[in-house]
Amino acid sequence: VNALIAKAWAEIFQSGRRGRDALEQAHKLLAAARERDPENLQVQLGIGAYHVNMAVQLYSSDGADHLAKGEGLLRSVMERQPTIPAAHYFMGMSHVARNQLSQAKAAFERAIELNPSHAPSYAQLGRVLVRLGLPKQGLEHVLYALRLSPRDPGLAIWTAFAGFAELELKRFDKALAHFERALSLYPGQPRTVLCVVAPHALLGDMDEAKRHLERLQRTLPHLTREVLAERFGKEHPDSQYRKGLQLVLTSLPEDLAVVKN
């Protein structure tokens, strides 16, 4: 059982580089471990992490179901052992997916309180602060995470978070540089592709913005135009991310299926 769990967590960590394939492999390993030890805390935590990641990273057309399953498992873990940083971390990610930013902030801060060296929580906290309208403070947290763990499997995603902060600071060229770096580390990462659409649109390069959007929709056809419009409508009204995506979405023909966050 311990060997299966160790291999599964290695796959979860690698999902920051390898995406859905790593998550699905982790789930298979954890399912095998659960058959042998249904009450194992690390198994429950791992399966919870799998479900949250499937929703957060946009790999599933049924994100709500994944979030519900993940949250149930994570709550069970925290009831049994409330001081596991990873449980708070993944619950924070679920709050992000639900646009519950205050709860997400508290969850990541709790994970850091439990483990002051937990670089992923600094990166995710930075992302949340950006979405709360504090891009400078958010960027500081993301850059700290990158310094704390410069070879982390989550490097591509964290680099995209830095681009997201620069985007909200209206430093579009710097944002593009971060996004391009992130895509070189993890080509096709769904959220990064969506992020890179915005600065291209805001800089007036609508053809390039549409090219990225259409490429993502071909890869993940469940991400439709309607899904995007509904999801990004929840972003802060002054968000440059939202403005850039809206520029692209409103320029598309009504019958064209595109992406959703």
Side-chain angles (χ1 to χ4, degrees), residues 228-257:
L228 271 179
E230 185 274 334
R231 188 79 170 261
F232 286 119
K234 298 175 183 177
E235 295 289 328
H236 192 280
D238 294 329
S239 167
Q240 299 302 304
Y241 186 32
R242 175 180 175 176
K243 289 178 181 178
L245 286 171
Q246 285 182 329
L247 282 174
V248 179
L249 292 174
T250 56
S251 73
L252 297 172
E254 286 296 326
D255 61 348
L256 183 61

Side-chain angles (χ1 to χ4, degrees), residues 35-84:
E35 289 182 3
R36 302 182 189 183
D37 187 358
E39 298 302 316
N40 189 289
L41 207 64
Q42 285 299 313
V43 170
Q44 293 184 9
L45 177 59
I47 296 176
Y50 158 78
H51 283 298
V52 169
N53 271 294
M54 286 294 291
V56 169
Q57 301 303 333
L58 310 178
Y59 294 129
S60 173
S61 60
D62 197 359
D65 183 60
H66 278 293
L67 287 178
K69 290 178 179 177
E71 289 167 353
L73 288 163
L74 293 172
R75 288 193 187 99
S76 177
V77 169
M78 288 190 286
E79 287 172 2
R80 292 171 59 189
Q81 179 53 269
T83 58
I84 298 178

